[in-house]
Amino acid sequence: VGFWIHREGCKAVTLSPGSIFFATEEGETNLPGRPALEEVRGGGLIATWQLPGREIKISFLPNKTGYTAMLTANPDTDIIRWGFAIAAAPDEYFTGLIDRTVDGGQGNSWRAGMTEAMDLRGQKVDMIVKPTTSVYAPFYLSSAGYGLFVNTTWMGVFNFCQTDPNLVWIGFEGPSLEFQFFIDNDPAKIVRAHAMRVGPPVLPPKWTFTPWRWRDDHKNLETYYDGTKVEAPYNSQLVEDVLMMEALGIPCGVYWVDRTWAKGHVGYADFDW
């Protein structure tokens, strides 16, 4: 049994086996059939399964922006992971989770011949911070008019119709699992609701909105671009950048000094220019 969230409330619907499960060291347990107890509360639902030696409770309770869902067990000391599935339409698309086109190394996002855009459909994204120069957050948007935020710091995975074209499969480690459904046809309102849920960004100081200049690599050349010999005690490209912005009347609010401006291996040293 799985649950399909819609604007009029919750309805129990039949999904594929494994729609909701928990895992212990002995393996995965799918929730069987209908729950032993269903309690409708304020347009939401609390469902309870009585399994041998364990009680499983799933709640979908409405709030101002959608529903808060909880998957819990008693006892839960041996539970290591939870998973659930959400029905997906054939033309439904998904975006979020990462600030790259695809998960993995940054080269994957501009490899030759790739066709992926912002749509995560068909992809599997591991929700764990990896050395990929990317930002990860367990929040995504669906074209079906909902957003999902998994409220946990445990590792997890999002499978967007890769294994089953009709299902989004989500699994996270931990003894319990909480997630938030944001329901709205306007994606901007969903993003706003999510921001207010996790904490809105702090307004940066004014200097952060001024023009910035940055290089990935700073090279100390023997001459400036016009052929003038470099005699300054600092990195030549840094000096030339600042002087050229001044000469061209471009305000320079921030100069970001990146590698390899210093001595040492690839420019990493003790701030020795």
Side-chain angles (χ1 to χ4, degrees):
V1 173
F3 295 94
W4 175 251
I5 304 299
H6 62 112
R7 287 167 185 77
E8 286 71 41
C10 299
K11 290 184 179 180
V13 297
T14 301
L15 300 180
S16 65
S19 297
I20 302 174
F21 76 87
F22 64 90
T24 65
E25 294 291 350
E26 284 69 39
E28 296 180 354
T29 299
N30 299 319
L31 296 191
R34 297 190 65 85
L37 178 65
E38 296 183 17
E39 177 188 353
V40 178
R41 183 183 299 179
L45 178 68
I46 300 177
T48 303
W49 281 260
Q50 297 293 343
L51 305 182
R54 198 187 311 268
E55 180 183 85
I56 303 295
K57 185 167 291 187
I58 299 177
S59 63
F60 285 86
L61 299 179
N63 52 46
K64 292 181 179 179
T65 58
Y67 294 85
T68 299
M70 284 288 297
L71 309 181
T72 60
N74 185 25
D76 63 1
T77 53
D78 59 340
I79 291 183
I80 59 176
R81 186 172 65 255
W82 289 87
F84 62 96
I86 303 173
D91 59 347
E92 190 173 346
Y93 62 85
F94 313 91
T95 186
L97 302 186
I98 53 178
D99 63 350
R100 297 209 174 278
T101 308
V102 296
D103 190 18
Q106 58 183 334
N108 293 342
S109 290
W110 51 77
R111 68 181 183 272
M114 71 173 299
T115 58
E116 294 90 340
M118 292 181 64
D119 187 1
L120 293 172
R121 188 182 185 94
Q123 297 190 45
K124 182 171 72 70
V125 178
D126 295 320
M127 193 50 47
I128 176 175
V129 178
K130 301 182 286 293
T132 61
T133 333
S134 188
V135 176
Y136 291 79
F139 168 70
Y140 73 85
L141 284 169
S142 164
S143 63
Y146 78 90
L148 178 66
F149 167 62
V150 181
N151 187 21
T152 181
T153 56
W154 289 86
M155 296 182 292
V157 62
F158 292 83
N159 186 323
F160 292 99
C161 308
Q162 185 185 78
T163 304
D164 187 324
N166 301 310
L167 292 177
V168 175
W169 188 93
I170 300 168
F172 272 81
E173 297 181 9
S176 62
L177 188 60
E178 177 184 346
F179 46 100
Q180 173 73 38
F181 280 99
F182 300 97
I183 310 298
D184 205 291
N185 285 324
D186 186 345
K189 290 183 179 179
I190 293 178
V191 171
R192 186 181 301 113
H194 171 252
M196 297 307 296
R197 171 70 169 75
V198 300
V202 177
L203 182 67
K206 289 183 179 181
W207 63 262
T208 62
F209 296 97
T210 59
W212 291 41
R213 182 70 173 94
W214 165 81
R215 287 179 183 269
D216 188 26
D217 295 303
H218 282 85
K219 295 180 173 60
N220 192 32
L221 308 177
E222 294 183 358
T223 63
Y224 294 114
Y225 295 136
D226 65 356
T228 304
K229 184 179 179 180
V230 172
E231 295 180 347
Y234 305 118
N235 182 283
S236 67
Q237 287 189 326
L238 185 153
V239 172
E240 187 148 46
D241 285 344
V242 175
L243 291 177
M244 287 300 291
M245 292 189 76
E246 183 180 48
L248 297 173
I250 301 174
C252 185
V254 177
Y255 192 91
W256 183 330
V257 182
D258 209 327
R259 62 187 182 94
T260 54
W261 56 271
K263 298 178 182 178
H265 178 63
V266 295
Y268 299 114
D270 297 326
F271 294 98
D272 183 7
W273 289 80

